[in-house]
Amino acid sequence: MSKIENRLNYTKNNNFFNYNAHLIMISPDGIVSNVMGNIVSDIDKNQEYLNFKQEFGFWLKEDEWFNSLIRHERDSVWTVPFMYHSSNLNDDKQYVSLAKSVKSSFTGEMLGVVMINLDLDNFVSLFTVRSKGSILLLDSQDRIIKTSGEVEINDINNVKQDLKLYGTQKGYFIGASDKKRYMVTYYILNRLNWTVVSVIPYEDVMKNTSSLKNQVLTINYIVFGLFLLSSVSLILYITNPLKLLIKDLRKKKIGVYSLGTKDITYSNDVNSIVRSFDHLFKRVDELVLKVVEEQSREQELKYEALKAQINPHFLFNTLNIIKWTAMMNGAGNASNMIADLGRLLEVSMKKGDEEITLKEELHLVKAYMNIQSARYNDSFELQMEIDPSLEKYQIIKLLLQPVVENCILHGLKNKKTGGQIQIGAQLEAGCLRIDVTDNGEGIDERRIHEIFNEASEDTGIQHKFSGVGLRNIHERLQLKYGEPFGLRISSFGGEGTTVSVMIPAMIKEEDNSY
């Protein structure tokens, strides 16, 4: 008994010194041997204290829970709420009572019962209420053992009914009572089968949530603002150099290579673009200068052609007078020559399209050969082997006449008789190829190279009628149609020369004026 009392004193002084707690030792026959706690101080006289122990022991022997401990049916009993019901005490306080049997560790014999009674108010105060809600302590039958807080009891009863819907050990739900909403949190104490319930008005919970929500929104706005500012800064960092580049490009003019890179610092990426544009504009300027040179050259060629047409109207009218004078004097051959020459002059001075049909061009070649045959006493023969289907293709007017004249003046100049000039045509890969071949003395390879590469007309081959040489014809064709077209010359010394005219194969409506 002394050991048990010492242990109970230790427990009382260390574990329950801040609480209103009573420790009572009871023998198996219901005799109260010792009472520790402030209940002793409430009973001043020793006789009253002895009467309290006898009355309390008698009441215990009548209680079922005490007998169940004595009969070894249970090891411990919780009783809530517990009241002393003693005539010696005027206190109606409620306690949380734990009664536990004490047995011998050697024989297992029942030594007695230790009863610890803790003031229920002290017990519930362990559950601190930090809001306008309430804390409930329920027994195994969901009866309210104790409650504290500001929530009305009617609302607590209404919310408490919903606990039966949940069978888990712990959890929460939203309860309602009289149009009021509550956040209900519960936890079941396994050993006691009691339930601790927290009931907090929903609006109080949402106040904290709203505050947190506002904080989160504020943080989101700040993050979004920083992201937007970063994005705008990055976009400006990328686009500003491009805007400067566009501004410089608008100032760009032909012949001005610089884009202002000396005055403006671009980003690395834009620098490469600037260099590309500089290279592009330099290339454009080179092409423009080339086009200007080609146009200037074309104008020079036109000027040279126009020099061959000095007052053609006057010459044409004069030739007509000479023609009719020759006919009146019986000189028919001279009259025909003048008529052929008049036809050539008429075509050269005729305004309008520069192209005529191959058929028309061949008529002009025949007229020119008639004049040359009379001049050289028919020492030359003209042969034409042209497919009639090719006569409708277009050709630059007076293009073949200078080539034929070149054959007479240079290829056949030393041939007194038997001179032949053959003209043939064929389609070749989208091109119209016209071959003018003579059986003269030919041209060596070096001279052919000089014809196409001389820088001036001093040593070029020119015909007496128009003053336009073979090289000028070649350049004129390339200016008009492009690099693949022009003249091709092939010759073997002493075996004749072939001049091939390469032009695009384009059909022109036939003109029946010839």
Side-chain angles (χ1 to χ4, degrees):
M1 292 293 295
S2 176
K3 290 182 179 179
I4 294 176
E5 288 180 358
N6 291 335
R7 181 62 59 89
L8 290 177
N9 280 323
Y10 177 83
T11 302
K12 175 69 175 66
N13 295 330
N14 290 276
N15 294 349
F16 297 104
F17 72 96
N18 283 332
Y19 303 100
N20 185 15
H22 305 154
L23 279 70
I24 304 172
M25 296 177 58
I26 309 166
S27 65
D29 53 2
I31 298 175
V32 177
S33 62
N34 194 3
V35 177
M36 300 178 184
N38 54 8
I39 190 174
V40 177
S41 62
D42 294 337
I43 304 175
D44 295 332
K45 300 178 181 180
N46 292 333
Q47 184 63 38
E48 291 181 357
Y49 174 63
L50 293 175
N51 292 336
F52 166 76
K53 292 199 296 183
Q54 291 178 355
E55 183 182 6
F56 184 65
F58 177 79
W59 177 79
L60 285 176
K61 289 190 291 185
E62 300 294 330
D63 204 325
E64 176 61 27
W65 63 265
F66 180 78
N67 294 321
S68 64
L69 291 175
I70 300 300
R71 292 193 299 266
H72 301 280
E73 294 177 357
R74 290 188 289 181
D75 292 330
S76 61
V77 175
W78 286 87
T79 304
V80 180
F82 175 80
M83 299 180 65
Y84 284 107
H85 301 291
S86 174
S87 59
N88 297 299
L89 294 174
N90 296 324
D91 190 4
D92 293 333
K93 289 184 179 180
Q94 296 180 337
Y95 297 86
V96 176
S97 177
L98 170 61
K100 184 174 178 60
S101 61
V102 180
K103 300 177 183 179
S104 172
S105 59
F106 298 100
T107 62
E109 179 185 359
M110 170 65 67
L111 300 180
V113 175
V114 176
M115 189 175 185
I116 301 175
N117 299 328
L118 179 64
D119 190 341
L120 185 58
D121 292 336
N122 293 135
F123 186 82
V124 175
S125 66
L126 298 175
F127 307 103
T128 305
V129 181
R130 298 184 180 180
S131 65
K132 295 181 179 180
S134 296
I135 297 293
L136 288 73
L137 182 62
L138 307 179
D139 61 11
S140 58
Q141 284 77 34
D142 288 341
R143 292 174 298 186
I144 297 177
I145 298 175
K146 190 68 177 179
T147 180
S148 63
E150 302 180 8
V151 180
E152 297 179 1
I153 190 64
N154 292 332
D155 294 336
I156 290 176
N157 291 329
N158 293 333
V159 171
K160 182 172 68 68
Q161 295 177 1
D162 295 335
L163 289 171
K164 297 180 180 179
L165 299 177
Y166 302 90
T168 57
Q169 180 185 7
K170 59 183 177 179
Y172 69 92
F173 61 91
I174 305 298
S177 175
D178 193 18
K179 298 182 180 180
K180 299 178 182 178
R181 302 176 68 192
Y182 295 93
M183 173 69 76
V184 181
T185 306
Y186 62 91
Y187 185 86
I188 299 176
L189 305 175
N190 289 332
R191 295 182 61 183
L192 305 178
N193 201 21
W194 295 350
T195 305
V196 180
V197 182
S198 170
V199 180
I200 304 175
Y202 187 76
E203 59 183 11
D204 290 345
V205 177
M206 293 309 296
K207 284 182 180 178
N208 297 331
T209 306
S210 299
S211 176
L212 179 61
K213 179 181 178 181
N214 292 334
Q215 293 178 2
V216 172
L217 288 177
T218 302
I219 294 174
N220 287 339
Y221 287 143
I222 294 174
V223 172
F224 178 76
L226 294 176
F227 175 76
L228 182 61
L229 182 62
S230 304
S231 301
V232 172
S233 301
L234 180 61
I235 292 173
L236 292 177
Y237 176 76
I238 296 175
T239 57
N240 276 343
L242 294 177
K243 290 180 180 179
L244 293 175
L245 176 61
I246 293 173
K247 183 179 179 180
D248 289 337
L249 290 178
R250 290 175 178 172
K251 298 178 181 179
K252 182 70 178 69
K253 296 180 180 179
I254 299 299
V256 181
Y257 294 153
S258 176
L259 294 180
T261 54
K262 295 182 180 179
D263 300 330
I264 301 175
T265 302
Y266 297 98
S267 63
N268 292 332
D269 295 334
V270 179
N271 266 333
S272 61
I273 300 177
V274 171
R275 288 193 296 269
S276 299
F277 272 102
D278 273 335
H279 177 74
L280 174 63
F281 278 113
K282 289 179 181 179
R283 182 59 179 163
V284 169
D285 289 334
E286 291 174 359
L287 295 176
V288 170
L289 292 177
K290 184 176 180 181
V291 171
V292 171
E293 291 176 358
E294 291 178 351
Q295 290 179 347
S296 176
R297 179 60 178 163
E298 185 177 4
Q299 292 297 327
E300 291 177 1
L301 294 177
K302 288 182 179 180
Y303 176 73
E304 292 178 359
L306 288 175
K307 287 194 301 183
Q309 302 175 8
I310 299 174
N311 203 356
H313 291 282
F314 170 76
L315 294 177
F316 181 70
N317 292 333
T318 303
L319 288 175
N320 279 331
I321 294 173
I322 297 173
K323 170 186 174 182
W324 289 108
T325 302
M327 291 181 63
M328 292 174 63
N329 292 320
N333 190 21
S335 176
N336 291 334
M337 291 176 61
I338 294 172
D340 290 332
L341 180 59
R343 174 170 294 182
L344 291 173
L345 288 175
E346 182 181 8
V347 172
S348 66
M349 72 177 223
K350 183 180 180 181
K351 296 181 179 179
D353 293 341
E354 187 181 0
E355 290 87 8
I356 60 177
T357 62
L358 179 59
K359 180 179 180 180
E360 294 170 344
E361 180 70 9
L362 294 177
H363 280 301
L364 297 177
V365 172
K366 289 180 181 179
Y368 174 75
M369 284 302 298
N370 289 336
I371 297 174
Q372 294 297 332
S373 295
R375 177 182 176 186
Y376 291 100
N377 297 322
D378 296 326
S379 60
F380 308 122
E381 179 183 359
L382 177 64
Q383 298 179 358
M384 296 185 181
E385 298 179 358
I386 305 296
D387 189 338
S389 63
L390 301 179
E391 292 181 349
K392 58 186 176 181
Y393 284 87
Q394 69 181 24
I395 186 174
I396 298 176
K397 64 183 178 181
L398 295 176
L399 181 63
L400 298 180
Q401 180 269 330
V403 179
V404 172
E405 182 180 20
N406 183 75
C407 294
I408 295 174
L409 296 180
H410 299 279
L412 303 175
K413 63 181 180 178
N414 297 323
K415 206 172 186 68
K416 301 302 181 181
T417 59
Q420 292 183 354
I421 299 175
Q422 296 180 349
I423 300 178
Q426 59 181 343
L427 292 177
E428 186 177 282
C431 299
L432 178 61
R433 175 177 174 177
I434 304 172
D435 296 326
V436 179
T437 304
D438 64 65
N439 59 348
E441 60 186 24
I443 309 174
D444 58 31
E445 188 72 23
R446 182 185 61 81
R447 186 56 187 152
I448 294 175
H449 180 74
E450 291 176 353
I451 290 175
F452 292 111
N453 293 280
E454 284 179 348
S456 66
E457 294 289 339
D458 295 338
T459 57
I461 303 175
Q462 299 181 353
H463 59 82
K464 299 296 187 288
F465 176 74
S466 64
V468 180
L470 290 180
R471 185 164 61 88
N472 287 345
I473 297 175
H474 175 70
E475 292 179 355
R476 185 182 180 191
L477 289 176
Q478 288 196 335
L479 286 173
K480 185 173 182 60
Y481 299 119
E483 292 293 336
F485 304 100
L487 298 183
R488 307 288 186 272
I489 301 176
S490 59
S491 177
F492 297 96
E495 298 182 5
T497 303
T498 299
V499 179
S500 299
V501 180
M502 304 293 292
I503 60 175
M506 294 182 289
I507 296 178
K508 182 179 179 63
E509 294 183 0
E510 186 177 356
D511 189 353
N512 297 322
S513 61
Y514 295 97

PDB file of all heavy atoms in Angstrom, residues 419-431:
ATOM      1  N   GLY A 419      29.603  30.408-157.146  1.00  0.00           N
ATOM      2  CA  GLY A 419      29.327  30.701-155.737  1.00  0.00           C
ATOM      3  C   GLY A 419      27.899  30.303-155.348  1.00  0.00           C
ATOM      4  O   GLY A 419      26.945  30.567-156.089  1.00  0.00           O
ATOM      5  N   GLN A 420      27.754  29.668-154.210  1.00  0.00           N
ATOM      6  CA  GLN A 420      26.432  29.208-153.746  1.00  0.00           C
ATOM      7  C   GLN A 420      26.206  29.657-152.297  1.00  0.00           C
ATOM      8  O   GLN A 420      27.108  29.588-151.468  1.00  0.00           O
ATOM      9  CB  GLN A 420      26.319  27.682-153.817  1.00  0.00           C
ATOM     10  CG  GLN A 420      26.302  27.130-155.230  1.00  0.00           C
ATOM     11  CD  GLN A 420      26.117  25.620-155.235  1.00  0.00           C
ATOM     12  OE1 GLN A 420      26.117  24.987-154.192  1.00  0.00           O
ATOM     13  NE2 GLN A 420      25.954  25.054-156.434  1.00  0.00           N
ATOM     14  N   ILE A 421      24.974  30.079-152.080  1.00  0.00           N
ATOM     15  CA  ILE A 421      24.534  30.415-150.716  1.00  0.00           C
ATOM     16  C   ILE A 421      23.258  29.627-150.448  1.00  0.00           C
ATOM     17  O   ILE A 421      22.284  29.769-151.207  1.00  0.00           O
ATOM     18  CB  ILE A 421      24.280  31.923-150.539  1.00  0.00           C
ATOM     19  CG1 ILE A 421      25.573  32.711-150.790  1.00  0.00           C
ATOM     20  CG2 ILE A 421      23.743  32.222-149.135  1.00  0.00           C
ATOM     21  CD1 ILE A 421      25.371  34.217-150.752  1.00  0.00           C
ATOM     22  N   GLN A 422      23.287  28.815-149.408  1.00  0.00           N
ATOM     23  CA  GLN A 422      22.134  27.979-149.055  1.00  0.00           C
ATOM     24  C   GLN A 422      21.544  28.460-147.730  1.00  0.00           C
ATOM     25  O   GLN A 422      22.267  28.727-146.766  1.00  0.00           O
ATOM     26  CB  GLN A 422      22.549  26.511-148.932  1.00  0.00           C
ATOM     27  CG  GLN A 422      23.053  25.900-150.232  1.00  0.00           C
ATOM     28  CD  GLN A 422      23.454  24.443-150.055  1.00  0.00           C
ATOM     29  OE1 GLN A 422      23.541  23.957-148.940  1.00  0.00           O
ATOM     30  NE2 GLN A 422      23.708  23.772-151.173  1.00  0.00           N
ATOM     31  N   ILE A 423      20.211  28.530-147.700  1.00  0.00           N
ATOM     32  CA  ILE A 423      19.496  28.936-146.477  1.00  0.00           C
ATOM     33  C   ILE A 423      18.544  27.803-146.088  1.00  0.00           C
ATOM     34  O   ILE A 423      17.712  27.384-146.897  1.00  0.00           O
ATOM     35  CB  ILE A 423      18.716  30.247-146.675  1.00  0.00           C
ATOM     36  CG1 ILE A 423      19.673  31.381-147.058  1.00  0.00           C
ATOM     37  CG2 ILE A 423      17.954  30.610-145.394  1.00  0.00           C
ATOM     38  CD1 ILE A 423      18.959  32.705-147.327  1.00  0.00           C
ATOM     39  N   GLY A 424      18.700  27.316-144.871  1.00  0.00           N
ATOM     40  CA  GLY A 424      17.841  26.258-144.345  1.00  0.00           C
ATOM     41  C   GLY A 424      17.347  26.617-142.945  1.00  0.00           C
ATOM     42  O   GLY A 424      17.932  27.450-142.250  1.00  0.00           O
ATOM     43  N   ALA A 425      16.275  25.974-142.498  1.00  0.00           N
ATOM     44  CA  ALA A 425      15.706  26.263-141.167  1.00  0.00           C
ATOM     45  C   ALA A 425      15.148  24.984-140.561  1.00  0.00           C
ATOM     46  O   ALA A 425      14.675  24.090-141.281  1.00  0.00           O
ATOM     47  CB  ALA A 425      14.623  27.333-141.266  1.00  0.00           C
ATOM     48  N   GLN A 426      15.181  24.908-139.234  1.00  0.00           N
ATOM     49  CA  GLN A 426      14.636  23.762-138.509  1.00  0.00           C
ATOM     50  C   GLN A 426      14.368  24.150-137.053  1.00  0.00           C
ATOM     51  O   GLN A 426      14.957  25.095-136.526  1.00  0.00           O
ATOM     52  CB  GLN A 426      15.602  22.575-138.566  1.00  0.00           C
ATOM     53  CG  GLN A 426      16.973  22.860-137.974  1.00  0.00           C
ATOM     54  CD  GLN A 426      17.904  21.681-138.078  1.00  0.00           C
ATOM     55  OE1 GLN A 426      17.494  20.565-138.306  1.00  0.00           O
ATOM     56  NE2 GLN A 426      19.206  21.944-137.902  1.00  0.00           N
ATOM     57  N   LEU A 427      13.450  23.397-136.437  1.00  0.00           N
ATOM     58  CA  LEU A 427      13.153  23.591-135.013  1.00  0.00           C
ATOM     59  C   LEU A 427      14.073  22.722-134.182  1.00  0.00           C
ATOM     60  O   LEU A 427      14.303  21.556-134.512  1.00  0.00           O
ATOM     61  CB  LEU A 427      11.686  23.234-134.712  1.00  0.00           C
ATOM     62  CG  LEU A 427      10.628  24.152-135.313  1.00  0.00           C
ATOM     63  CD1 LEU A 427       9.230  23.636-135.002  1.00  0.00           C
ATOM     64  CD2 LEU A 427      10.792  25.574-134.806  1.00  0.00           C
ATOM     65  N   GLU A 428      14.574  23.301-133.103  1.00  0.00           N
ATOM     66  CA  GLU A 428      15.556  22.583-132.293  1.00  0.00           C
ATOM     67  C   GLU A 428      15.371  22.973-130.828  1.00  0.00           C
ATOM     68  O   GLU A 428      15.794  24.044-130.389  1.00  0.00           O
ATOM     69  CB  GLU A 428      16.968  22.945-132.768  1.00  0.00           C
ATOM     70  CG  GLU A 428      18.077  22.143-132.098  1.00  0.00           C
ATOM     71  CD  GLU A 428      19.433  22.500-132.663  1.00  0.00           C
ATOM     72  OE1 GLU A 428      19.758  22.010-133.773  1.00  0.00           O
ATOM     73  OE2 GLU A 428      20.155  23.278-132.020  1.00  0.00           O
ATOM     74  N   ALA A 429      14.692  22.098-130.040  1.00  0.00           N
ATOM     75  CA  ALA A 429      14.508  22.287-128.584  1.00  0.00           C
ATOM     76  C   ALA A 429      13.893  23.640-128.264  1.00  0.00           C
ATOM     77  O   ALA A 429      14.421  24.409-127.454  1.00  0.00           O
ATOM     78  CB  ALA A 429      15.827  22.122-127.845  1.00  0.00           C
ATOM     79  N   GLY A 430      12.769  23.958-128.933  1.00  0.00           N
ATOM     80  CA  GLY A 430      12.089  25.216-128.660  1.00  0.00           C
ATOM     81  C   GLY A 430      12.716  26.415-129.317  1.00  0.00           C
ATOM     82  O   GLY A 430      12.300  27.547-129.058  1.00  0.00           O
ATOM     83  N   CYS A 431      13.727  26.221-130.155  1.00  0.00           N
ATOM     84  CA  CYS A 431      14.400  27.316-130.855  1.00  0.00           C
ATOM     85  C   CYS A 431      14.196  27.157-132.366  1.00  0.00           C
ATOM     86  O   CYS A 431      14.048  26.044-132.881  1.00  0.00           O
ATOM     87  CB  CYS A 431      15.895  27.345-130.548  1.00  0.00           C
ATOM     88  SG  CYS A 431      16.269  27.584-128.806  1.00  0.00           S
TER      89      CYS A 431
END
